[in-house]
Amino acid sequence: MGSAAQHTDVAYRGQPIGVVVAETFEQARDAAALVQVSYDQKPARTSFEAGIATAEDAPAFMGNELSATVLAPGVESIEDALAASPVVVEATYRTATQNHAPMEPHSAVAVWADGTLTIYSGNQGSDLQAMEVAGALNLPISAVHAVNPYVGGAFGGKGRTSVPAFLAAAAARAP
């Protein structure tokens, strides 16, 4: 959920596709039972080589274009640099698929008070979390305050807003 834009594509197994907010467990259970979902199955895209022809540039991040300079001063192109190099090594390297295993569960507490939504979680990026939740709930970013205490390291896969944070935020906003 990198931006406020929403779409109907499901990117991975277990991806949240909706939320039910209710006043009681029974209401939530009954409402969830009424949800009917159908999918148009598409083949998995698992090959870098097969996907390179349809690759797209990454979108701007938080309104800023990302760019990097990789050429030395005076070098016009990668091809020129390779042609001028005394040695060039060409090889293809492959690594195994990696599976991220968080060290602790994702969790969050959200409180709505005085027109501001405050989310407490172990997320690594409070600004990004505030932006993502504001976009998901159609709120101005100034109405969302993310409190993410520093716990050190980058363990647990908490670089983006977790499903519990979105759910807690949605539930806290319910009347």
Side-chain angles (χ1 to χ4, degrees), residues 91-163:
T92 300
Y93 299 92
R94 299 188 186 274
T95 60
T97 301
Q98 308 225 348
N99 185 20
H100 187 77
M103 294 174 56
E104 64 184 12
H106 294 271
S107 62
V109 174
V111 179
W112 188 266
D114 300 323
T116 300
L117 177 64
T118 303
I119 303 170
Y120 302 89
S121 75
N123 184 283
Q124 290 175 286
S126 57
D127 289 347
L128 179 60
Q129 184 175 50
M131 181 186 71
E132 289 180 331
V133 170
L137 295 179
N138 198 25
L139 296 169
I141 196 164
S142 60
V144 180
H145 179 65
V147 178
N148 311 118
Y150 177 75
V151 294
F155 309 109
K158 295 183 178 181
R160 301 299 298 260
T161 302
S162 67
V163 171

Side-chain angles (χ1 to χ4, degrees), residues 22-66:
E23 292 183 15
T24 68
F25 169 79
E26 291 78 12
Q27 288 175 340
R29 180 198 59 215
D30 294 347
L34 296 174
V35 175
Q36 294 183 358
V37 179
S38 63
Y39 298 94
D40 293 327
Q41 188 171 355
K42 297 179 183 177
R45 294 178 290 181
T46 59
S47 166
F48 178 80
E49 289 83 6
I52 196 70
T54 57
E56 299 178 15
D57 289 334
F61 179 71
M62 298 178 75
N64 297 318
E65 291 294 329
L66 299 177

Side-chain angles (χ1 to χ4, degrees), residues 1 7-17 39 42-45:
M1 304 191 108
H7 56 80
T8 58
D9 290 345
V10 176
Y12 58 90
R13 178 184 167 94
Q15 175 182 337
I17 58 167
Y39 298 94
K42 297 179 183 177
R45 294 178 290 181

